[in-house]
Amino acid sequence: MRNKYSVFSLIKNALSYHENWQRAWKDPTPQKEYDAVIVGGGGHGLATAYYLAKKHNMNNIAVVEKGWIGGGNTGRNTTIIRSNYLWDASAGLYDHALKIWEGLSQELNYNVMFSQRGVMNLAHNLQDVRDLKRRTHANRLNGIDAVYLSTEEVNKFCPIINTSPDIRYPVLGGTLQRRAGTARHDAVAWGYARGADAMGVDIIQNCEVKGIKRKGDSVEGIETSKGFIKTKKVGVVAAGHSSVIANMAGLKLPLESKPLQALVSEPVKPIIDTVVMSNAVHAYVSQSDKGELVIGAGTDDYVSYTQKGSHQIVEGTLNAILELYPIFSRMRMLRQWGGIVDICPDASPILSKTSIKGLYFNCGWGTGGFKATPGSGDLFAHTIANDEPHKLNAAFNLNRFVSGDLVDEHGAAAVAH
Amino acid sequence: MFLINCPYCGERDQQEFKAGGEAHIERPKQPTELSDDEWAEYLFMRKNIKGVQYERWNHAHGCRKWFNVVRDTSNDEIKAIYKMGEKPPSQ
């Protein structure tokens, strides 16, 4: 039985110097057979397992993870959550996730530190202004909160932004989604892991998938570094390594894996109480609860699995940050890192069945998957359990690259990809 | 970040180059006779290899010529460089 976290358990454990907290999840050895196996123990994979157990009564399932849970892109992103996407399909998908975020800490009994501090997107040229206004209208038609701000309103909402008309890319306006914000990325993985484990899901870490065994057009199981696991359903949620797993099953995906970088500064007192993103100059920044500025840079244009990235990408982002926020000119950056993001040609994700029965892919989230974690898990669990997509992820099938029915969010999603 | 030995200009910083994606994807000879599946394969499906990959690069801020590179995507190490139209080196 899983103990509930509460103020009373906190006091009780304080009396024993916090030495007797129950383990948040077990460390099981894999069984010979499961009803379903999720490949990839990041936020999306753990959420999938959680909702499979909770909503679809599939408790005899496992999550296999090559490293440790939440050690991939879940622990490497800039934690921004928003749903202000242009197209109806995307709006439905991302707002579904945002609605789950709003009650997630209570649902998981785990504080994911979801903070609806608002996300502001800036316009720097006339086309930006037109695009952002159009997106604001589209958002509101889809029931998503969005307002357009003038330069003065941008300045009022976030006074440290340089709104002078003399800078190279002056701020001509912006949009604001107040329900958007940030969450604590590790807590999301840990909360879902704890919740899934409590319902009987085996979370198997340090277990790398080496092959996918097929019998004709159906999945029979997976070869792992901890032996063969028999299963009829495999849900792959491997982010940047999705193509590697797909190749094991003889599939090709429309993905390219590229390094995406982020960096944090030394911690300082509260200075920016929202998230500001700027598509045209590619700079986005927020402040963590520890006080670090969290800055997202762009992707490199070549395929690489190195989790590094090029120096000039970071340099370009910091140039833009300094022009927009002169107050940061003497800040020192503490850490820089890269993650491998799997980018689709239309910059929209894939949550889909495949031509192989029992093999499902949840991938292609590219540079912006964190925000969708709860929704992605919920819809992917639905897809795996019913062998049919939910209406909210029906548009995000693999077949759209054959039919041509793409969800082109490249320039429309309020941030460059 | 790495150096690329342009076959026309010599060794330069990767920053001067533009990546052109997977190499040796042949343009369909009879486009009108292609099925939707074949179009999807040509336009969108990529090997996206973790390991040795054949790819195209363009010296965008130099001679602006295209050429091919064999690169290990797991550590960004370049194995070979050859001009367009030349036979790819076997591994």
Side-chain angles (χ1 to χ4, degrees):
Chain A
M1 186 59 202
R2 181 75 67 242
N3 292 341
K4 196 171 170 4
Y5 291 152
S6 68
V7 66
F8 303 109
S9 70
L10 188 64
I11 294 166
K12 188 177 143 216
N13 281 283
L15 294 173
S16 57
Y17 303 99
H18 297 293
E19 285 172 355
N20 297 316
W21 283 101
Q22 189 184 25
R23 277 192 79 137
W25 53 84
K26 299 181 289 290
D27 189 16
T29 46
Q31 295 172 31
K32 291 210 159 31
E33 185 172 0
Y34 289 100
D35 293 340
V37 174
I38 305 301
V39 179
H44 290 241
L46 293 164
T48 305
Y50 174 84
Y51 291 111
L52 273 173
K54 188 180 179 195
K55 291 175 121 178
H56 305 282
N57 297 319
M58 289 178 71
N59 303 88
N60 181 31
I61 62 173
V63 177
V64 294
E65 164 57 46
K66 179 171 68 170
W68 61 95
I69 59 164
N73 291 352
T74 303
R76 290 168 181 271
N77 66 87
T78 52
T79 76
I80 298 169
I81 295 162
R82 59 186 178 84
S83 64
N84 55 351
Y85 281 70
L86 177 71
W87 301 114
D88 294 351
S90 315
L93 181 69
Y94 291 102
D95 209 50
H96 177 62
L98 183 48
K99 282 176 189 144
I100 302 177
W101 277 114
E102 287 173 330
L104 193 60
S105 292
Q106 285 74 20
E107 183 185 341
L108 294 177
N109 179 228
Y110 203 103
N111 187 4
V112 299
M113 295 163 74
F114 179 51
S115 158
Q116 291 179 297
R117 59 184 69 182
V119 168
M120 187 160 70
N121 297 96
L122 301 180
H124 295 278
N125 54 54
L126 287 174
Q127 190 57 44
D128 276 359
V129 171
R130 286 189 283 262
D131 288 346
L132 262 55
K133 281 186 176 167
R134 178 189 178 205
R135 181 170 53 70
T136 310
H137 294 313
N139 288 161
R140 290 165 77 155
L141 285 172
N142 278 317
I144 293 169
D145 68 308
V147 284
Y148 187 82
L149 305 179
S150 67
T151 308
E152 294 71 35
E153 287 166 326
V154 167
N155 187 259
K156 205 172 154 212
F157 188 70
C158 185
I160 60 168
I161 295 178
N162 181 5
T163 49
S164 156
D166 300 328
I167 64 174
R168 185 169 176 195
Y169 300 105
V171 177
L172 300 184
T175 67
L176 176 62
Q177 185 182 18
R178 289 185 190 275
R179 283 166 62 232
T182 61
R184 170 99 169 97
H185 48 4
D186 296 326
V188 179
W190 299 336
Y192 274 122
R194 180 169 170 270
D197 180 88
M199 289 183 285
V201 175
D202 280 355
I203 296 166
I204 305 158
Q205 303 184 70
N206 298 310
C207 181
E208 184 178 356
V209 173
K210 304 276 192 189
I212 292 178
K213 197 172 173 203
R214 286 169 57 176
K215 189 179 182 186
D217 277 343
S218 304
V219 167
E220 270 205 321
I222 53 170
E223 294 287 353
T224 75
S225 54
K226 293 190 176 180
F228 180 72
I229 300 173
K230 197 174 164 193
T231 182
K232 287 200 169 76
K233 290 189 174 198
V234 176
V236 182
V237 200
H241 282 71
S242 298
S243 297
V244 177
I245 308 276
N247 290 342
M248 291 174 187
L251 280 181
K252 243 159 113 180
L253 294 172
L255 297 174
E256 286 194 307
S257 297
K258 297 175 176 180
L260 174 67
Q261 296 177 82
L263 56 164
V264 295
S265 73
E266 58 190 334
V268 290
K269 287 185 177 175
I271 181 71
I272 179 164
D273 62 356
T274 185
V275 182
V276 186
M277 311 180 74
S278 177
N279 183 355
V281 296
H282 210 291
Y284 50 101
V285 62
S286 61
Q287 190 171 17
S288 74
D289 291 356
K290 281 187 285 184
E292 304 155 325
L293 294 181
V294 183
I295 294 170
T299 52
D300 278 294
D301 67 347
Y302 52 87
V303 170
S304 179
Y305 287 83
T306 55
Q307 291 188 328
K308 287 193 281 193
S310 304
H311 179 70
Q312 75 265 15
I313 302 282
V314 168
E315 201 175 23
T317 289
L318 289 180
N319 282 344
I321 293 275
L322 287 191
E323 180 152 277
L324 278 175
Y325 311 89
I327 193 174
F328 295 153
S329 66
R330 296 175 73 184
M331 294 277 288
R332 283 165 295 190
M333 293 298 143
L334 274 194
R335 289 179 288 126
Q336 167 274 344
W337 65 92
I340 303 304
V341 297
D342 42 330
I343 299 178
C344 260
D346 60 355
S348 284
I350 296 166
L351 291 113
S352 180
K353 295 162 69 170
T354 62
S355 54
I356 299 164
K357 193 170 160 21
L359 183 63
Y360 307 86
F361 269 89
N362 181 351
C363 58
W365 290 95
T367 58
F370 177 74
K371 66 174 82 69
T373 304
S376 158
D378 182 33
L379 300 172
F380 197 47
H382 180 102
T383 308
I384 293 173
N386 299 303
D387 198 35
E388 274 303 318
H390 187 278
K391 67 177 186 334
L392 286 173
N393 69 311
F396 299 95
N397 59 56
L398 251 177
N399 195 53
R400 73 179 189 263
F401 299 97
V402 177
S403 68
D405 194 10
L406 303 177
V407 187
D408 184 9
E409 285 285 355
H410 256 295
V415 63
H417 287 272
Chain B
M1 185 171 250
F2 42 88
L3 296 174
I4 298 175
N5 195 2
C6 171
Y8 305 97
C9 310
E11 207 163 64
R12 301 292 176 87
D13 193 303
Q14 170 262 321
Q15 188 171 352
E16 291 186 15
F17 298 83
K18 174 96 185 114
E22 189 179 321
H24 307 296
I25 299 174
E26 206 174 321
R27 196 177 165 77
K29 288 197 172 65
Q30 301 284 350
T32 49
E33 284 164 26
L34 243 48
S35 69
D36 288 350
D37 280 319
E38 288 165 327
W39 270 120
E41 180 75 19
Y42 168 68
L43 284 173
F44 298 127
M45 301 302 162
R46 294 293 177 262
K47 289 183 189 152
N48 197 24
I49 293 168
K50 181 179 186 178
V52 176
Q53 164 159 299
Y54 290 74
E55 53 195 18
R56 299 173 304 170
W57 283 78
N58 176 240
H59 196 179
H61 299 287
C63 62
R64 298 176 66 192
K65 286 198 173 79
W66 286 91
F67 55 94
N68 294 305
V69 173
V70 186
R71 187 173 56 94
D72 187 336
T73 60
S74 65
N75 57 14
D76 288 345
E77 193 184 311
I78 292 177
K79 306 280 186 193
I81 289 178
Y82 55 101
K83 292 179 180 171
M84 284 292 166
E86 284 179 9
K87 218 169 156 230
S90 55
Q91 286 174 50

